[in-house]
Amino acid sequence: MKPHVGVLALQGDVREHLRALESCGARVSAVRRAAELAEVDGLVLPGGESTTMSRLLEVFDLLEPLRERLAGGMPAYGSCAGMILLASKVLDGRPDQHQLGGLDVIVRRNAFGRQVDSFEADLDIAGIDGGPVHAVFIRAPWVESAEPTVEVLGTVPDSPAAGPAAGRIVAARQGSVLATAFHPELTGDRRLHQLFMEIVREH
Ligand code: GLN
């Protein structure tokens, strides 16, 4: 049977993730209510704006149900704003922004600098074969620090263009929670979605 994977559909690049997951063999659905969340085997938290999604999680009464499912071990993959939501702590966030937990890291929001809207780099990602992943960063966070329980999957390579981003953690995994500061849903490369599908299938 196909695993049933949801995409949190309050805001952000929902459609791109649904399409990517579908092409990796998932049965997909958009998740906006607790009843929809209860049905999925795993959930993607898309890129977008974490402060907006945080507010909408409250409006849609999803905050506690989502925290409960994450605490119960539901596989989750957060890209960019999704990674911010999953982090246990955020720097440069809004004071009223909620954290879901699941990933024991401190993330810095808009870390690449406000003037740097986007940045691209080829990254080697642990557990992903077939060469580097072309990573697109859009007003992206990075992981400022991670607990030892977190596996670092990728960092920004040292290059003149990387500036202060060089060496920063931008892909990580803790158990069945996966997170990237970049947006694989915006490129044709499905390897990160495939990795998430493996996590969902194993679970
Ligand atoms: N800067 C955004 C935030 O704080 C994230 C940007 C993105 O998801 N592309 O949520």
Side-chain angles (χ1 to χ4, degrees), residues 89-103:
K89 199 174 163 199
V90 61
L91 303 174
D92 295 337
R94 272 178 54 142
D96 59 351
Q97 131 167 53
H98 301 291
Q99 300 311 118
L100 296 169
L103 190 64

Side-chain angles (χ1 to χ4, degrees), residues 47-50 80-81 84 109-110 138-139 183:
E49 177 48 55
S50 59
C80 201
I84 297 174
R109 211 173 137 240
N110 300 324
I138 304 167
R139 290 182 294 283
H183 294 269

Side-chain angles (χ1 to χ4, degrees), residues 9-162:
L10 303 176
Q11 187 261 341
D13 55 356
V14 176
R15 241 184 317 169
E16 290 81 352
H17 277 292
L18 288 170
R19 211 173 294 139
L21 291 163
E22 208 162 31
S23 75
C24 293
R27 183 158 70 86
V28 297
S29 59
V31 169
R32 279 186 207 91
R33 306 165 190 284
E36 292 162 347
L37 176 64
E39 284 175 3
V40 297
D41 303 316
L43 185 73
V44 168
L45 297 95
E49 177 48 55
S50 59
T51 54
T52 306
M53 277 190 247
S54 168
R55 196 165 39 76
L56 292 172
L57 282 170
E58 259 181 74
V59 173
F60 283 76
D61 282 325
L62 268 175
L63 201 50
E64 283 319 311
L66 194 41
R67 282 185 176 140
E68 272 167 34
R69 286 228 54 195
L70 288 165
M74 174 186 68
Y77 168 37
S79 69
C80 201
M83 174 170 104
I84 297 174
L85 289 169
L86 291 169
S88 44
K89 199 174 163 199
V90 61
L91 303 174
D92 295 337
R94 272 178 54 142
D96 59 351
Q97 131 167 53
H98 301 291
Q99 300 311 118
L100 296 169
L103 190 64
D104 293 329
V105 300
I106 300 176
V107 291
R108 185 175 292 281
R109 211 173 137 240
N110 300 324
F112 289 77
R114 282 172 200 284
Q115 68 282 24
V116 184
D117 251 17
S118 71
F119 167 75
E120 304 192 9
D122 291 320
L123 311 180
D124 287 316
I125 304 288
I128 299 232
D129 298 326
V133 170
H134 186 69
V136 177
F137 298 88
I138 304 167
R139 290 182 294 283
W142 66 44
V143 174
E144 189 96 1
S145 66
E147 291 298 317
T149 43
V150 176
E151 195 187 337
V152 174
L153 302 183
T155 56
V156 176
D158 231 328
S159 80

Side-chain angles (χ1 to χ4, degrees), residues 127 191 193-203:
R191 287 177 292 169
H193 289 87
Q194 271 154 9
L195 173 61
F196 182 56
M197 289 298 291
E198 277 167 39
I199 295 173
V200 175
R201 284 197 186 94
E202 277 164 21
H203 193 259

